[in-house]
Amino acid sequence: MARTYELLYVLNPTLGEEGLAAMDERIQGLISANGEIKDVDVWGTRRLAYEIQDMNEGYYVVLHFTAEPEFPVELERQLKINDKVLRFLVTSMEA
């Protein structure tokens, strides 16, 4: 049975517009192949609370999606190995 999840990820802003768009497309493609995207909220470039990899800013995106319970583990694995992703958090929206 599919569950609802929220993904917040922060990308390296030095990628430029084309690089950020390509990363968004790649992450959304991975989710679409394994579930259904409900909502995408692009926050854009924001100042970080603390430096991450010598960066003071990050490009924020929040996604809401539905997928099978096994998928978030694979999604987290894919995001961990990508050096363009500064931080991410996947949370279940189920009560």
Side-chain angles (χ1 to χ4, degrees), residues 28-42:
Q28 290 178 27
L30 178 64
I31 294 170
S32 294
N34 294 284
E36 181 182 346
I37 295 176
K38 297 291 185 185
D39 182 37
V40 179
D41 188 11
V42 178

Side-chain angles (χ1 to χ4, degrees), residues 45-46 51:
T45 304
R46 302 231 174 154
E51 274 191 15

Side-chain angles (χ1 to χ4, degrees), residues 10-17 20 45-46 48 55-59 84 86:
V10 183
L11 299 176
N12 184 334
T14 61
L15 296 172
E17 284 186 33
L20 292 170
T45 304
R46 302 231 174 154
L48 299 171
M55 301 282 168
N56 291 321
E57 293 184 332
Y59 181 80
K84 296 173 181 116
L86 299 178

Side-chain angles (χ1 to χ4, degrees), residues 28-81:
Q28 290 178 27
L30 178 64
I31 294 170
S32 294
N34 294 284
E36 181 182 346
I37 295 176
K38 297 291 185 185
D39 182 37
V40 179
D41 188 11
V42 178
W43 292 1
T45 304
R46 302 231 174 154
R47 186 161 182 77
L48 299 171
Y50 54 90
E51 274 191 15
I52 302 173
Q53 299 176 8
D54 295 326
M55 301 282 168
N56 291 321
E57 293 184 332
Y59 181 80
Y60 286 75
V61 178
V62 178
L63 281 166
H64 293 98
F65 65 96
T66 57
E68 294 301 318
E70 309 82 36
F71 174 65
V73 176
E74 174 61 19
L75 178 61
E76 288 177 353
R77 188 187 74 76
Q78 293 282 333
L79 293 172
K80 277 181 193 174
I81 62 175

